[in-house]
Amino acid sequence: MGRDLTSSRIDRQNVLNNDFAVCEIQSSSNVQGIVFDGKVCFTKNMAAAFFEVDTRTIERCVSDNADELMRNGYEIIRGKRLKEFIKCVSEQDAPDINVGSIGGKTSQLAIFDFKAFLNVAMLLTESDKARIMRQLMLDIVIDLINKKTGGGTKFINQRDKDFIAAYLQEEDY
């Protein structure tokens, strides 16, 4: 059985480290979030609503993979940054149902930037929307690789009896 994004931390990180792919996924997916500090961010409630799972599922995902998610843009904001975030929410007129109950009594809030949001999509195995998002990610990454290499993907049949001789004679086997 081959590795996939839900089970291989290295494969997930390979996609998330590709800034071109992350930007392309963000523009192609058209997922709406809150713009904060120049990045698109999501609360736990927003992520749960998008992936059509319970917020406790997101919480379990975060607790099981906290180190990985924090390296990819998950953070807990407090104090002045929290006040700035709440101000951004009110300025962008984000509906409370998507953001959750953020009020003056909230002392801290967990937010995901777009990379961490994609990371959650890679970790959720029970969500159909997460599965669709993973497929979109892989399609975009493969498409970008094809563009960067100048066209279609080449498959080389190394079992061909003439492979070695042809390869030694010319590079374009």
Side-chain angles (χ1 to χ4, degrees), residues 49-60:
F50 179 83
F51 294 120
E52 297 174 347
V53 296
D54 194 69
T55 54
R56 290 176 296 191
T57 303
I58 302 293
E59 289 169 355
R60 273 191 304 274

Side-chain angles (χ1 to χ4, degrees), residues 5 11-31 38-40 42 71-73 112-119 122 133 136-145 148:
L5 295 176
D11 289 343
R12 288 192 298 269
Q13 208 56 51
N14 283 339
V15 171
L16 295 172
N17 286 341
N18 187 338
D19 292 332
F20 295 114
V22 171
C23 288
E24 186 65 30
I25 293 165
Q26 186 173 353
S27 64
S28 296
S29 66
N30 203 20
V31 177
K39 299 184 280 186
V40 176
F42 306 87
R71 278 194 308 274
N72 289 314
F112 304 88
D113 72 0
F114 194 74
K115 274 176 73 170
F117 180 78
L118 292 179
N119 202 168
M122 294 180 201
M133 184 65 98
L136 175 72
M137 284 185 246
L138 291 174
D139 290 346
I140 288 172
V141 168
I142 290 170
D143 198 33
L144 280 174
I145 290 171
K148 291 286 183 189

Side-chain angles (χ1 to χ4, degrees), residues 88-148:
C88 283
V89 169
S90 64
E91 287 173 355
Q92 294 176 36
D93 201 30
D96 286 340
I97 194 162
N98 290 335
V99 179
S101 57
I102 302 173
K105 295 182 180 181
T106 303
S107 62
Q108 64 183 18
L109 182 70
I111 60 172
F112 304 88
D113 72 0
F114 194 74
K115 274 176 73 170
F117 180 78
L118 292 179
N119 202 168
V120 170
M122 294 180 201
L123 293 166
L124 292 175
T125 56
E126 300 299 318
S127 168
D128 284 334
K129 278 198 157 181
R131 182 188 53 77
I132 292 167
M133 184 65 98
R134 286 191 301 273
Q135 187 61 50
L136 175 72
M137 284 185 246
L138 291 174
D139 290 346
I140 288 172
V141 168
I142 290 170
D143 198 33
L144 280 174
I145 290 171
N146 283 335
K147 286 179 185 174
K148 291 286 183 189

Side-chain angles (χ1 to χ4, degrees), residues 1-8 11 138:
M1 181 176 165
R3 297 181 305 180
D4 65 18
L5 295 176
T6 59
S7 62
S8 174
D11 289 343
L138 291 174

